[in-house]
């Protein structure tokens, strides 16, 4: 998105470097993300929006969608692969060939709205995955957990429009508030459980939200599959937000969600990278998240 931009290719390199240097990489299965089919994107997005992104992807230089969100010549392919990763992970987890999966993708997705790019996001990768799970695999109850420092406004908007969404989709999150994108305080449905937290909130506060809000709702909902919008910009070293999580908090959240997944859906979790812009903290946090998922 430009050399000045925090949503940079070095993010994925930082993650991969960390997985290598800690010895985790050889114990993981690496799967190349396929390109998402246009029909899968159209379940979550307006087809005209999908077509607009393709048409405006430049052959050189940049196309500015909004002050934060740009297209470069590789953006279209990258965005298709980011959404395709979540679809592929969903297929494999539901087939039982993987218990869980982490999608190391960019661009991120949770701000992408049905017909609008927003906040570094082009396609809402998690929402595309949720629609795929509901409509292709016929699941009846899918949960989305979002622990990015920003509210997942795009995911909320897309999922609130799902037919029978109150029965089929549960979304829980915390996010810094008041803060970009200045939404999330009026949950549009009974099954949208988004918890605003003040700047400076630390792991103890977040763990209380997990235990007292997320887990009771998840237990009652009995998800058949859990998606995680895994943003790591609530880390205390990440200057894009002002929260104070550390690596052990990401382990805690991951393990608690895995316990729910084991009780209700054979451990099925599909996690996908959202934010996280301090490269060192991002690498360490993802390592902890993946290590917990892999039980290593
Ligand atoms: Zn974020």
């Amino acid at each position: 998105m430009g050399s000045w931009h925090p949503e940079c290719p070095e993010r994925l390199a930082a993650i991969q470097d960390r997985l290598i240097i800690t010895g985790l990489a050889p114990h993981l299965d690496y799967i190349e993300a396929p390109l998402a089919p246009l029909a899968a994107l159209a379940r979550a997005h307006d087809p005209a929006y999908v077509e607009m992104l393709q048409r405006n992807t430049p052959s050189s230089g940049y196309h500015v969608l909004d002050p934060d969100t740009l297209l470069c010549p590789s953006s279209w392919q990258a965005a298709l692969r980011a959404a395709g990763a979540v679809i592929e992970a969903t297929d494999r987890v539901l087939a039982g060939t993987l218990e869980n999966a982490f999608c190391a993708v960019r661009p991120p997705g949770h701000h992408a709205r049905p017909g609008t790019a927003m906040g570094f996001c082009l396609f809402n990768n998690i929402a595309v995955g949720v629609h795929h799970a509901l409509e292709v695999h016929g699941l009846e109850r899918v949960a989305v957990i979002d622990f990015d420092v920003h509210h997942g406004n795009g995911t909320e908007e897309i999922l609130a429009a799902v037919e029978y969404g109150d029965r089929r989709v549960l979304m829980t999150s915390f996010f810094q508030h008041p803060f970009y994108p200045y939404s999330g305080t009026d949950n549009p449905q009974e099954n949208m459980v988004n918890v605003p937290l003040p700047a400076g909130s630390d792991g103890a506060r977040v763990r209380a939200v997990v235990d007292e809000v997320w887990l009771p709702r998840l237990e009652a909902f009995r998800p058949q599959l859990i998606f995680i919008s895994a943003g790591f910009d609530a880390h205390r070293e990440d200057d894009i937000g002002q929260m104070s999580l550390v690596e052990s908090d990401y382990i805690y959240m991951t393990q608690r969600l895995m316990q729910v997944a084991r009780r209700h859906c054979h451990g099925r979790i599909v996690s996908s990278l959202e934010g996280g812009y301090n490269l060192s903290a991002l690498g360490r946090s993802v390592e902890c998240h993946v290590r917990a998922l892999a039980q290593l």
Side-chain angles (χ1 to χ4, degrees), residues 225-277:
L225 174 63
I226 293 177
F227 286 98
I228 302 177
S229 261
F232 297 90
D233 42 9
H235 194 284
R236 71 178 174 193
E237 293 170 37
D238 200 315
D239 294 333
I240 210 163
Q242 289 80 42
M243 287 184 65
S244 297
L245 298 194
V246 295
E247 287 88 320
S248 60
D249 299 314
Y250 292 110
I251 295 173
Y252 182 86
M253 290 191 284
T254 306
Q255 290 180 338
R256 296 295 265 167
L257 295 172
M258 289 173 71
Q259 289 167 1
V260 174
R262 279 198 208 98
R263 273 197 287 279
H264 297 288
C265 53
H266 313 287
R268 294 165 175 167
I269 292 177
V270 173
S271 176
S272 187
L273 182 65
E274 300 285 1
Y277 304 100

Side-chain angles (χ1 to χ4, degrees), residues 110-111 148-150 231 233 240 274-277:
H110 73 155
H111 296 306
D148 192 277
V149 77
H150 303 97
D233 42 9
I240 210 163
E274 300 285 1
Y277 304 100

